[in-house]
């Protein structure tokens, strides 16, 4: 009985926080994560509805989700492949695909002032006999394409929320803040490339991420960085990743026997990704789940189904790729005998 009361209270809390956030009444994003955690804990003693959903999961749909997620790494590798081909150093997907998986692990678990995954990409491409300048160009163009696609998806998400009557000035402000952050990263790289090797100001030199960017950005050939066709392909390849993630969440709902539209899963994935990106928690643990579950609940999906589908999605997007990523990083470090570094 106590668990049932706690469950009802947690569901009310989740919905109240998200409505309050969207109506600009003050609660911070962290409260959403706390509410979802409370809801999950409250269900430990009464998992009937949640467990029933998982027991009914259809393996066929889960296989489709695995295929969709495998395709996301193909998209990431495509961004590099376009640049390498344009530079006269083509490499096969068979060589580039493992780098995309390793980058996920390096980004999440081995951050080097926020540059771990990027440094890993450059190191691995040069290990494939790609000129270091070309490898850096592949990284920068892919990074620019990612954040441009991310920004476009955020604006698309906001448009969908306004069309559904859910958006608010608070949500609009949140998206605008994210736009500034997302565009500042590739903008910083472009600025560093244009300024050359001149010494940094004392203020900027205090930030390791800026120093690391300065070490690698200047090596990229300018002719590749200003190639609009390459940048456009990188935007398309990285934008497809968000649509594949939204499709994966949709398939997870199908596996649980739930009927949810693609627009709903797209909004949930983009909002959760933004919260995880801006949040301070490594791997986005809790923040992504809270963001997706809260937004899905706000759009009419039951909390049990939303949480179950989100956890299934995280299995495919985070937990399963971590093992091969760890093994790849471990093999690289053993081969080099030293940690990843910008040198």
């Amino acid at each position: 009985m106590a668990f049932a009361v706690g469950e009802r209270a947690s569901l009310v809390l989740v919905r109240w926080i998200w409505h309050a956030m969207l109506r600009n009444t003050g609660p911070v994003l962290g409260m959403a994560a706390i509410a979802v955690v409370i809801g999950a804990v409250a269900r430990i003693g009464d998992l009937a509805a949640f467990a029933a959903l998982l027991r009914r999961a259809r393996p066929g749909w889960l296989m489709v989700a695995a295929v969709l997620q495998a395709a996301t790494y193909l998209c990431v590798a495509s961004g590099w492949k376009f640049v390498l081909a344009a530079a006269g150093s083509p490499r096969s997907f068979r060589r580039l695909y493992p780098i995309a998986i390793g980058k996920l692990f390096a980004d999440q678990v081995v951050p080097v002032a926020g540059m771990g995954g990027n440094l890993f990409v450059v190191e691995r491409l040069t290990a494939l006999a790609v000129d270091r300048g070309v490898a850096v160009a592949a990284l920068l163009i892919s990074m620019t394409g990612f954040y441009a696609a991310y920004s476009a998806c955020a604006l698309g998400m906001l448009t969908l929320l306004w069309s559904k009557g859910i958006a608010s000035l608070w949500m609009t402000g949140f998206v605008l803040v994210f736009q500034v952050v997302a565009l500042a990263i590739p903008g910083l790289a472009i600025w560093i490339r244009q300024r050359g090797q001149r010494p940094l100001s004392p203020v900027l030199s205090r930030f390791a991420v800026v120093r690391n960017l300065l070490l690698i950005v200047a090596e990229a050939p300018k002719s590749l960085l200003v190639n609009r066709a390459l940048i456009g392909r990188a935007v398309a390849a990285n934008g497809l990743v968000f649509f594949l993630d939204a499709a994966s969440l949709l398939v997870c709902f199908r596996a649980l026997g739930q009927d949810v539209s693609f627009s709903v899963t797209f909004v949930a994935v983009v909002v959760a990704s933004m919260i995880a990106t801006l949040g301070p928690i490594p791997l986005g643990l809790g923040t992504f789940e809270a963001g997706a579950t809260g937004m899905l609940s706000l759009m009419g999906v039951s909390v049990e189904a939303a949480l179950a589908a989100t956890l299934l999605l995280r299995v495919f997007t985070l937990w399963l790729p971590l093992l091969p990523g760890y093994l790849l990083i471990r093999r690289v470090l053993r081969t080099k005998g030293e940690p990843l570094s910008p040198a």
Side-chain angles (χ1 to χ4, degrees):
M1 181 65 178
F3 282 111
V5 173
E7 180 174 355
R8 288 194 296 272
S10 65
L11 299 186
V12 172
L13 184 58
V14 169
R15 293 192 176 97
W16 177 82
I17 285 175
W18 273 94
H19 280 290
M21 287 166 57
L22 293 178
R23 292 173 183 173
N24 195 24
T25 56
V28 297
L29 290 175
M31 291 183 63
I34 295 172
V36 172
V37 171
I38 292 173
V41 172
R43 288 176 174 75
I44 291 178
D46 184 13
L47 295 175
F50 188 80
L53 284 171
L54 294 179
R55 281 197 303 269
R56 293 198 303 266
R58 304 167 187 173
W61 283 112
L62 296 180
M63 290 298 296
V64 174
V67 171
L68 290 173
Q69 281 305 299
T72 63
Y73 297 100
L74 196 64
C75 293
V76 173
S78 296
W80 306 327
K81 186 175 177 62
F82 295 144
V83 180
L84 298 180
S89 302
R91 295 297 182 271
S92 66
F93 280 117
R94 183 176 64 85
R95 296 294 188 90
L96 298 177
Y97 195 87
I99 300 178
I101 298 177
K103 183 181 186 299
L104 170 69
F105 185 89
D107 277 334
Q108 305 289 1
V109 184
V110 195
V112 181
M115 294 288 291
N118 294 335
L119 295 173
F120 174 77
V121 171
V122 175
E123 295 250 2
R124 288 297 85 205
L125 290 179
T126 54
L128 296 179
V130 175
D131 179 78
R132 185 174 174 85
V134 174
V136 172
L139 166 66
L140 293 177
I141 292 174
S142 178
M143 184 170 65
T144 301
F146 169 76
Y147 284 107
Y150 207 166
S151 298
C153 288
L155 292 176
M157 173 274 298
L158 184 62
T159 301
L160 285 173
L161 286 181
W162 278 108
S163 68
K164 295 177 181 293
I166 300 177
S168 67
L169 292 179
W170 185 96
M171 178 59 74
T172 303
F174 176 65
V175 172
L176 291 178
V177 170
F178 174 79
Q179 295 289 321
V180 172
V181 174
L183 297 178
I185 297 174
L188 176 63
I190 294 173
W191 174 76
I192 290 176
R193 177 63 183 84
Q194 292 177 342
R195 73 181 300 279
Q197 292 284 2
R198 295 196 305 273
L200 288 171
S201 68
V203 175
L204 290 177
S205 62
R206 296 169 56 185
F207 297 95
V209 64
V210 177
R211 296 196 303 270
N212 288 338
L213 275 173
L214 181 63
L215 286 171
I216 66 173
V217 167
E219 302 179 49
K222 186 176 180 179
S223 60
L224 291 175
L225 296 182
V226 297
N227 190 320
R228 295 183 179 180
L230 286 179
I231 295 175
R233 292 175 183 175
V235 173
N238 285 278
L240 187 56
V241 172
F242 289 97
F243 285 93
L244 288 172
D245 283 341
S248 298
L249 181 57
L250 177 65
V251 168
C252 288
F253 274 111
R254 292 289 189 271
L256 299 172
Q258 302 292 311
D259 187 18
V260 177
S261 68
F262 179 81
S263 62
V264 170
T265 59
F266 176 78
V267 168
V269 164
V270 175
V271 169
S273 299
M274 291 169 59
I275 293 174
T277 299
L278 297 179
I281 301 176
L283 302 172
L285 293 177
T287 54
F288 183 94
E289 291 83 353
T293 303
M295 183 54 69
L296 288 167
S297 175
L298 188 63
M299 291 187 290
V301 181
S302 69
V303 173
E304 293 87 356
L307 182 59
T310 300
L311 293 178
L312 278 179
L313 176 67
R314 291 290 269 174
V315 169
F316 294 108
T317 60
L318 178 62
W319 300 114
L320 287 181
L322 281 184
L323 178 57
Y326 164 74
L327 295 176
L328 180 62
I329 292 285
R330 184 181 181 187
R331 186 179 68 182
V332 170
L333 295 182
R334 281 185 172 182
T335 301
K336 296 181 67 64
E338 58 186 18
L340 294 174
S341 70

